[in-house]
Amino acid sequence: MALVTTVLALAGTVFAVPAAAAAPCTTGTWRLTKADLTVRQSTTRLRIVGGKGATLTLGGGRAVHRYAGSARLTETGTSGGAAVTGWLRYRGTLRMKAKITGSRLVGTISSASGNATLKLRQTAPLSLDPAPRNLAALLKAGEFTGVPDNAKITCSTTSLKLHQTDTTSSGTLKATWTYRRA
């Protein structure tokens, strides 16, 4: 329950899709090499790492995430003094209107669509296996999705990094998504 509870406790923070880019270094298709997310709440410390293989296409005022064949993200940490382990898996395609504002990618959450799902599985301290949830619906509801929104951009012709820090009354998320040109 800690995985689902902790992840959903960040409902006040929205983690949406990266925005489309006008800058030449961001436009095109990118393959995720690693997502690295850290969640900190009063008694919870979680690290979520992985996701290799997902693709992100930026351009034309849109961001498109494709998760076919992408690796799971593993979760480790503690919640209320108990060890937490589990994983997250994404499948399908998520689309969203998006743009660059300064050096940030910003998505329009209300435009999120597609068949992409997020599967959360907790293996400790409890064994929980809820059904996959639709990413567009999670975004629109303001729930945790684990995909970047309002992220600072660092890029070159061959690499793209999205950096995001969100702080709410329920905690802080620090995340970096690292991509290579596909």
Side-chain angles (χ1 to χ4, degrees):
M1 185 75 166
L3 168 65
V4 174
T5 302
T6 300
V7 170
L8 295 180
L10 291 173
T13 303
V14 177
F15 309 103
V17 177
C25 70
T26 59
T27 302
T29 300
W30 300 92
R31 184 165 309 281
L32 185 67
T33 59
K34 181 180 179 184
D36 192 344
L37 297 83
T38 302
V39 177
R40 294 187 184 268
Q41 294 176 301
S42 61
T43 62
T44 301
R45 304 284 184 267
L46 300 175
R47 186 158 183 226
I48 303 168
V49 179
K52 184 177 180 177
T55 62
L56 169 61
T57 302
L58 299 170
R62 298 191 63 77
V64 179
H65 282 271
R66 290 184 177 86
Y67 298 104
S70 63
R72 295 190 305 195
L73 289 89
T74 58
E75 179 190 45
T76 57
T78 59
S79 182
V84 174
T85 59
W87 52 264
L88 291 77
R89 182 181 62 221
Y90 296 85
R91 289 294 179 255
T93 301
L94 179 68
R95 293 174 182 81
M96 177 182 288
K97 289 181 184 176
K99 64 180 178 174
I100 288 184
T101 302
S103 64
R104 302 192 80 78
L105 290 172
V106 180
T108 304
I109 294 167
S110 62
S111 70
S113 65
N115 66 352
T117 59
L118 170 59
K119 168 75 173 167
L120 300 171
R121 173 77 162 95
Q122 184 178 337
T123 54
L126 303 172
S127 181
L128 298 173
D129 193 12
R133 298 187 57 200
N134 180 274
L135 274 177
L138 288 171
L139 284 166
K140 291 174 182 178
E143 294 186 35
F144 175 86
T145 63
V147 292
D149 167 289
N150 195 21
K152 182 181 175 190
I153 305 163
T154 304
C155 67
S156 70
T157 57
T158 59
S159 67
L160 172 70
K161 282 192 177 187
L162 303 177
H163 308 275
Q164 183 167 315
T165 300
D166 289 305
T167 302
T168 68
S169 59
S170 63
T172 301
L173 171 94
K174 288 188 178 189
T176 299
W177 294 267
T178 303
Y179 296 88
R180 285 277 178 219
R181 179 85 58 192

